[in-house]
C-alpha cells in the first residue's frame, strides 16, 4: 500500500471509531442546521478533527479541503487532502446504516489516492492511481452488464438546493422507464463504490461537492469505470454534476440524461 494511502486508511478507521461510538446514543448527539436539509453534528466535527490530525501528523505541510472546517493551506502545497468526515449525515442521525468516511489525496489537482470507509459493514474501499481499486484487499471491477433494461442505476435526490428539482425529476422518470431500477441510498461516496464493485451499473447526481465525490470517483476509474460530467467531459469535480458507470453503460446513461440538461 502506498504510504500516503496507508495514512488515509488509518485516519479513516480512527474516524470510524469516533462515529460508531456516537451512533450508540444518537439522542445525545448535538445537531445544527447549516441550511435546508443540510445538517452538521458534533460527531462530524470530531471525526474531521481526528482525520486532519492524523494527516498533518504525517504530512504537516499538505493542504486540506474539508467539509466542515473548509480550506487550509490551499496554494501552499502541491498536495491537497479532500475530506468528508461523514458522507450521509442525515442517514447517521436517523440510525440508517448508510454513511461513510471519504478521504482523497490530490497532487497538482489530480486525485491520486482514495479511501472510502463504511464503518457499519467494515468495508474499506481503496484506490491508488494506476494500481487498481480494492474492497478489503480484494480487487474490484465494474459490472459487465450493458442492456439497460437489466441495469440498476444509483442516484441522489436534490436535498438542500431544490431549484433544479424539475430538471432532476425528468431525468429520474426517463431512467426509471428504461432500466431495471433506481436506488437512492443517501451517500454519494458509497454509491460510487457500488458502481466500482458492480453492485450497480451506474450513478448520477447533481450539485455535489468535491468531498462527496473525489475519493469515490478514483475508485470507480481504477475499477475500470468512467466518470464524467453531464456533457461527457471531465468537469465533474468543479461542477458537482457527475455520471459514473461501466464503459458500456456510460454513453447510454448520458443519452438518457441529455434531453433534461439546462431545463
Amino acid at each position: 500500500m502506498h504510504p500516503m494511502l496507508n495514512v488515509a486508511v488509518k485516519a479513516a478507521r480512527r474516524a470510524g471509531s469516533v462515529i460508531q461510538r456516537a451512533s450508540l446514543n444518537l439522542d445525545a448527539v448535538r445537531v445544527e442546521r447549516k441550511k435546508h436539509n443540510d445538517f452538521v453534528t458534533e460527531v462530524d466535527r470530531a471525526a474531521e478533527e481526528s482525520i486532519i490530525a492524523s494527516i498533518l501528523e504525517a504530512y504537516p505541510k499538505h493542504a486540506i479541503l474539508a467539509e466542515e472546517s473548509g480550506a487550509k493551506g490551499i496554494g501552499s502545497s502541491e498536495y491537497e487532502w479532500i475530506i468528508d468526515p461523514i458522507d450521509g449525515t442525515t442517514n447517521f442521525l436517523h440510525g440508517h446504516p448508510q454513511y461513510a468516511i471519504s478521504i482523497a489525496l490530490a497532487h497538482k489537482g489530480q486525485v491520486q489516492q482514495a479511501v472510502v470507509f463504511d464503518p457499519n459493514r467494515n468495508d474499506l474501499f481503496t484506490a491508488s492511481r494506476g494500481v487498481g481499486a480494492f474492497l478489503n484487499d480484494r480487487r474490484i471491477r465494474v459490472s459487465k452488464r450493458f442492456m439497460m433494461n437489466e441495469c440498476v442505476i444509483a442516484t441522489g435526490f436534490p436535498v438542500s438546493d431544490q431549484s433544479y428539482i424539475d430538471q432532476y425529476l425528468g431525468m429520474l422518470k426517463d431512467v426509471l422507464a428504461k432500466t431495471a431500477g433506481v436506488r437512492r441510498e443517501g451517500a454519494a461516496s458509497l454509491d460510487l463504490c457500488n458502481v466500482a464493485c458492480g453492485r450497480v451499473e451506474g450513478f448520477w447526481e447533481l450539485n455535489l461537492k468535491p468531498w462527496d465525490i473525489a475519493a469515490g470517483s478514483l475508485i470507480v476509474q481504477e475499477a475500470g469505470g468512467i466518470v464524467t460530467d453531464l456533457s461527457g467531459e471531465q468537469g465533474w469535480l468543479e461542477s458537482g454534476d457527475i455520471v459514473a458507470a461501466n464503459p458500456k453503460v456510460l454513453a447510454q446513461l448520458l443519452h438518457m440524461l441529455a434531453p433534461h440538461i439546462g431545463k
Side-chain angles (χ1 to χ4, degrees):
M1 185 178 290
H2 190 284
M4 292 181 178
L5 184 63
N6 192 42
V7 167
V9 168
K10 290 179 179 178
R13 289 196 179 279
R14 287 176 186 170
S17 296
V18 171
I19 294 163
Q20 293 308 89
R21 283 197 300 271
S23 74
L24 299 175
N25 188 12
L26 289 172
D27 289 340
V29 173
R30 292 195 299 274
V31 184
E32 296 175 22
R33 187 187 298 268
K34 293 191 281 187
K35 54 185 176 179
H36 178 67
N37 286 342
D38 190 4
F39 303 97
V40 61
T41 72
E42 60 186 333
V43 184
D44 292 81
R45 294 194 174 104
E48 185 172 289
E49 289 169 5
S50 171
I51 293 166
I52 292 172
S54 295
I55 290 169
L56 294 183
E57 181 181 1
Y59 302 106
K61 295 183 179 180
H62 285 191
I64 301 287
L65 176 63
E67 179 177 14
E68 306 307 338
S69 58
K72 299 177 182 177
I74 301 298
S76 64
S77 173
E78 294 180 347
Y79 291 94
E80 179 184 347
W81 294 86
I82 306 170
I83 301 162
D84 192 340
I86 308 179
D87 179 27
T89 297
T90 300
N91 285 346
F92 167 73
L93 283 172
H94 286 261
H96 182 66
Q98 184 74 7
Y99 51 85
I101 298 109
S102 176
I103 304 173
L105 173 64
H107 180 240
K108 296 182 178 179
Q110 185 181 59
V111 177
Q112 299 291 332
Q113 311 292 337
V115 172
V116 174
F117 179 49
D118 176 349
N120 290 291
R121 299 174 181 85
N122 200 32
D123 277 350
L124 181 71
F125 295 89
T126 59
S128 294
R129 186 168 293 278
V131 177
F134 298 83
L135 168 56
N136 298 330
D137 299 321
R138 176 179 60 84
R139 190 171 187 126
I140 53 176
R141 300 290 295 178
V142 294
S143 166
K144 295 180 180 179
R145 291 188 183 89
F146 63 92
M147 299 293 290
M148 292 303 287
N149 61 1
E150 298 176 356
C151 292
V152 173
I153 306 298
T155 189
F157 301 155
V159 178
S160 59
D161 179 3
Q162 298 188 358
S163 62
Y164 56 94
I165 194 165
D166 290 336
Q167 175 191 14
Y168 173 79
L169 289 174
M171 294 176 174
L172 179 62
K173 182 178 179 181
D174 279 1
V175 176
L176 279 169
K178 297 172 183 176
T179 66
V182 173
R183 301 290 181 266
R184 194 279 186 181
E185 298 187 326
S189 61
L190 289 176
D191 290 329
L192 287 162
C193 289
N194 284 339
V195 174
C197 66
R199 295 171 181 167
V200 297
E201 279 65 51
F203 165 70
W204 96 96
E205 191 167 349
L206 311 178
N207 200 35
L208 292 170
K209 301 297 184 183
W211 46 79
D212 297 318
I213 53 181
S217 295
L218 180 63
I219 293 168
V220 170
Q221 292 167 331
E222 289 297 318
I226 303 175
V227 181
T228 73
D229 60 19
L230 292 173
S231 300
E233 304 296 336
Q234 290 300 300
W236 47 270
L237 196 59
E238 293 75 29
S239 70
D241 299 337
I242 187 169
V243 184
N246 75 46
K248 293 182 178 179
V249 164
L250 183 81
Q252 299 178 78
L253 184 54
L254 285 170
H255 183 72
M256 288 181 195
L257 301 177
H260 307 282
I261 295 175
K263 287 189 175 181

